[in-house]
Amino acid sequence: MSEPEYTRPRTRLYLITPPRIEDVDAFAALLETAFSTGDIACLQLRLKQADGSIDEAATRAASAAVTEMAQAYGAAVLINDSPQLAVELGADGVHVGWDDVPVKEARAIVGKDMIVGATAKNSRHIAMQAGEAGADYVAFGAFYPTGTKEGTVPASPELLEIWQESMEIPCVAIGGITVENAAPLVTAGADFIAVSAGIWDHPDGAPAAVAAFNALFDSLAAD
């Protein structure tokens, strides 16, 4: 008897906040509308100061406004850069970047039950090290040019294909992704598509972008 063919779960949306939020209440209202239009697996609070460091005050304000709401919609809330802040704010986990807190240290701070994600840029070696150190997922990219984050390196869809064939840890594709260019990354094996500007700067608005991404994921899962 032949083994049943493995079917990869449908790709899901990984939403990242804009680098700065001017009006927290307005953002929370927009976010709730976006949640009501389609599936969002997680929300990463990534709020930066001018020097690129985490804006802790802005992160606290945003968390107070949106964390319970996002969790009520079934989304995991992740804090960028700071495992300590993730614990303090009652988030579901933390995402650590290439030059941030090491995964092992982040895991020690947040404990075994919270999510730890790690940036791997375009390196399978770094990604495997992150997995061995306790990361729950790894993020590859940038797959396309992006103005949201500095210091990115180019990554190719083949990286996702190889990872999906050889590793069990989920992978996130990030970097300049829009509804129009996401399909090759989904097809290549991205478990999650991480988007910031592609949602918030969408010409038809963020809720329409969330709906469009989900329609794309549904159509590709059905193929």
Side-chain angles (χ1 to χ4, degrees):
M1 181 181 295
S2 61
E3 291 291 327
E5 184 178 348
Y6 170 73
T7 301
R8 183 170 64 84
R10 171 191 178 278
T11 299
R12 299 183 70 193
L13 184 62
Y14 181 126
L15 184 57
I16 302 175
T17 62
R20 284 169 293 281
I21 297 173
E22 302 299 333
D23 185 332
V24 172
D25 291 337
F27 175 75
L30 176 62
L31 180 64
E32 184 156 24
T33 303
F35 269 113
S36 71
T37 63
D39 172 61
I40 299 172
C42 71
L43 172 69
Q44 184 189 132
L45 304 187
R46 183 182 182 275
L47 297 160
K48 298 292 186 176
Q49 302 188 86
D51 63 0
S53 63
I54 183 173
D55 188 332
E56 293 195 5
T59 301
R60 287 189 175 92
S63 175
V66 307
T67 293
E68 288 188 9
M69 177 258 290
Q71 291 170 336
Y73 276 97
V77 176
L78 308 179
I79 304 298
N80 182 262
D81 290 355
S82 177
Q84 295 90 344
L85 202 56
V87 173
E88 174 193 327
L89 297 176
D92 298 288
V94 63
H95 181 89
V96 292
W98 187 270
D99 300 315
D100 296 330
V101 179
V103 170
K104 188 174 182 180
E105 183 178 336
R107 173 60 69 198
I109 293 169
V110 304
K112 63 181 179 64
D113 295 326
M114 289 177 68
I115 299 167
V116 176
T119 295
K121 293 193 176 181
N122 61 0
S123 172
R124 280 192 297 137
H125 176 68
I126 294 295
M128 287 187 285
Q129 286 185 325
E132 291 169 358
D136 294 294
Y137 71 83
V138 295
F140 293 114
F143 288 94
Y144 303 109
T146 174
T148 304
K149 185 175 182 180
E150 297 180 355
T152 61
V153 296
S156 69
E158 288 75 21
L159 181 61
L160 300 171
E161 293 177 357
I162 295 170
W163 185 263
Q164 197 63 250
E165 290 170 358
S166 59
M167 304 298 293
E168 294 184 358
I169 298 174
C171 61
V172 176
I174 191 170
I177 303 173
T178 65
V179 174
E180 292 74 22
N181 65 22
L185 306 179
V186 175
T187 303
D191 296 295
F192 301 90
I193 294 291
V195 189
S196 181
I199 293 288
W200 308 116
D201 296 343
H202 192 279
D204 295 328
V210 170
F213 269 107
N214 275 284
L216 174 68
F217 300 157
D218 287 341
S219 68
L220 293 173
D223 288 347

